[in-house]
Amino acid sequence: DVCSSDLYTQFAQGNLTAIINNVSPNFVFILAGPEGLTKIAGTWSGSQGLTQFFNTLFTCETYNAFQLKTFTTDGCRVDVEFDEEIVVLATGKIVACSGLHSFVVNSNGQMAKFRSYNDTYSVAWGYTE
């Protein structure tokens, strides 16, 4: 299942190719956040956009911890609550926050849309010198 804990295992193992290969051609990825402070906030499109996002992500921050809390499914939509602790590389600050990943899966079982709802206040603090 594209939105199961396997997806997060692939991410943790660095198997980003498996994730990228399972997005629809019209895939849209939205990461909430202050675009003026962090390069990873914004809208990314298609597999190329997701590749660019991952490349940018790992130049901006690293993960100390990531814990899945709940999976809620409603038709083609899956919402995943999580807690994370990241280190912002530019400032060295450690940011701990909760968030929600919301997926829409198409009829082919591919990710069609992904939206990350983050604690934008904490993220802004982490990226501010």
Side-chain angles (χ1 to χ4, degrees), residues 13-57:
Q13 294 173 342
N15 189 1
L16 306 179
T17 302
I19 298 169
I20 292 165
N21 287 339
N22 206 13
V23 300
S24 73
N26 299 322
F27 176 69
V28 176
F29 178 103
I30 301 170
L31 178 70
E35 292 183 41
L37 291 177
T38 173
K39 298 174 189 173
I40 60 172
T43 302
W44 309 80
S45 300
S47 59
Q48 289 178 328
L50 186 56
T51 300
Q52 184 181 6
F53 167 78
F54 283 139
N55 289 335
T56 304
L57 174 68

Side-chain angles (χ1 to χ4, degrees), residues 91-105:
T91 64
K93 292 181 180 177
I94 296 173
V95 179
C97 57
S98 297
L100 179 77
H101 288 158
S102 185
F103 298 86
V104 174
V105 179

Side-chain angles (χ1 to χ4, degrees), residues 38-128:
T38 173
K39 298 174 189 173
I40 60 172
T43 302
W44 309 80
S45 300
S47 59
Q48 289 178 328
L50 186 56
T51 300
Q52 184 181 6
F53 167 78
F54 283 139
N55 289 335
T56 304
L57 174 68
F58 296 118
T59 63
C60 294
E61 52 191 57
T62 60
Y63 288 83
N64 282 346
F66 190 90
Q67 180 181 5
L68 300 174
K69 292 170 65 176
T70 64
F71 283 78
T72 305
T73 304
D74 183 14
C76 64
R77 182 179 170 149
V78 178
D79 292 331
V80 181
E81 279 184 286
F82 63 90
D83 291 325
E84 66 182 351
E85 183 178 282
I86 62 170
V87 178
V88 177
L89 298 176
T91 64
K93 292 181 180 177
I94 296 173
V95 179
C97 57
S98 297
L100 179 77
H101 288 158
S102 185
F103 298 86
V104 174
V105 179
N106 68 17
S107 59
N108 294 326
Q110 299 170 310
M111 282 189 285
K113 295 181 183 177
F114 175 93
R115 171 95 192 222
S116 183
Y117 297 90
N118 301 329
D119 176 352
T120 55
Y121 177 81
S122 293
V123 171
W125 172 83
Y127 277 86
T128 303

